């Protein structure tokens, strides 16, 4: 099957909130000075969520085994949510806005026809980070939420996704990431506790070895 045929068979989501999409991309047309910064941010900005998870891990070293378990669970929860989003993306098969609404203004290049729109992978990572950090550090989770909103907006601004793609990502990622973190906190804490007494101790706890042995 050709790429063109694949695009024709895909679901057209422009009828859901196409007018809102063009309102945002119209704003992008009127703010061309902002196009390049937001195009750069929409991809590189994902690094912020990695930094926040690293900050959560560093803080957890001083907060005990359970906190460390949640910190280590955060990237697992994000990857799990992203994997689920990719499965949904293949099932729904929603064609990208650049193909269903070719006359709109687009900052981002149009991806391959097989790269579907719903849900947004970028927004999934962002929202999953918010949920994964919620059990660890509410302040870091709140900071992640602010950046997640910005990330979601930029995905529509550059023309990569419809607003409902972003919203769908949030609704999918939040419960999956939260429940994954919750499950790992329950099931993996004994494993992390055991590893904390071995060669990985410097990575898992900030407590001196003497203090750790005395606690036992």
């Amino acid at each position: 099957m050709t790429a063109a045929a694949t695009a024709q068979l895909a679901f057209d989501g422009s009828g859901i909130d196409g007018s809102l999409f063009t309102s945002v991309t119209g704003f992008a047309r009127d703010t061309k000075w902002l196009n390049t910064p937001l195009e750069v941010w929409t991809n590189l900005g994902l690094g912020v969520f990695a930094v926040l998870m690293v900050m959560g891990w560093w803080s957890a070293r001083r907060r005990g085994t359970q906190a460390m378990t949640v910190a280590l669970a955060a990237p697992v929860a994000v990857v799990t949510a992203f994997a689920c989003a990719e499965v949904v993306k293949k099932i729904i098969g929603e064609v990208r806005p650049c193909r269903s609404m070719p006359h709109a203004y687009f900052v981002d290049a149009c991806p391959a026809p097989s790269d579907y729109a719903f849900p947004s992978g970028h927004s999934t990572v962002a929202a999953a980070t918010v949920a994964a950090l919620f059990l660890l550090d509410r302040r870091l989770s709140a900071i992640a939420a602010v950046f997640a909103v910005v990330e979601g907006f930029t995905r529509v601004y550059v023309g990569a996704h419809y607003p409902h793609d972003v919203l769908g990502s949030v609704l999918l990622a939040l419960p999956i990431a939260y429940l994954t973190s919750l499950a790992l906190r329950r099931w993996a804490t004994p494993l992390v506790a055991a590893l904390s007494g071995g060669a990985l101790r410097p990575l898992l706890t900030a407590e001196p070895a003497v203090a750790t042995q005395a606690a036992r």
Side-chain angles (χ1 to χ4, degrees):
M1 183 178 291
T2 65
T6 301
Q8 290 176 356
L9 290 175
F11 171 68
D12 182 356
S14 61
I16 298 175
D17 50 11
S19 60
L20 180 57
F21 171 80
T22 54
S23 294
V24 177
T25 56
F27 173 69
R29 179 188 290 111
D30 295 336
T31 55
K32 291 185 177 180
W33 57 271
L34 196 56
N35 287 184
T36 298
L38 290 191
E39 185 178 20
V40 171
W41 166 264
T42 197
N43 292 310
L44 297 184
L46 291 179
V48 170
F49 302 103
V51 170
L52 290 173
M53 284 188 280
V54 170
M55 291 174 62
W57 159 75
W58 185 257
S59 172
R61 292 174 67 246
R62 296 169 173 79
R63 295 173 50 198
T65 303
Q66 189 174 78
M68 176 53 67
T69 303
V70 177
L72 295 177
V76 177
V78 172
V79 170
T80 301
F82 182 80
C84 291
E86 288 300 296
V87 172
V88 172
K89 185 174 289 190
K90 295 298 183 182
I91 293 174
I92 300 299
E94 180 190 74
V95 69
R96 291 275 184 166
C98 58
R99 300 187 184 280
S100 58
M101 302 185 71
H103 300 298
Y105 180 79
F106 296 95
V107 176
D108 214 9
C110 193
S114 58
D115 187 353
Y116 298 123
F118 181 90
S120 164
H122 288 67
S123 296
T124 296
V125 170
T129 304
V130 175
L133 290 175
F134 186 78
L135 290 173
L136 177 65
D137 189 316
R138 301 290 173 85
R139 182 179 62 176
L140 289 178
S141 180
I143 294 173
V146 173
F147 283 111
V149 171
V150 175
E151 182 65 31
F153 172 76
T154 62
R155 298 311 291 157
V156 182
Y157 181 94
V158 301
H161 291 281
Y162 294 107
H164 71 263
D165 297 335
V166 173
L167 178 60
S169 302
V170 174
L171 295 177
L172 176 73
L174 287 179
I176 291 176
Y178 180 82
L179 292 175
T180 300
S181 293
L182 196 64
L184 288 175
R185 184 179 70 176
R186 178 178 180 181
W187 297 330
T189 296
L191 174 61
V192 173
L195 293 174
S196 296
L200 295 178
R201 186 185 60 78
L203 297 176
L204 302 178
T205 178
E207 295 181 4
V210 174
T212 302
Q213 293 172 1
R216 292 180 178 179

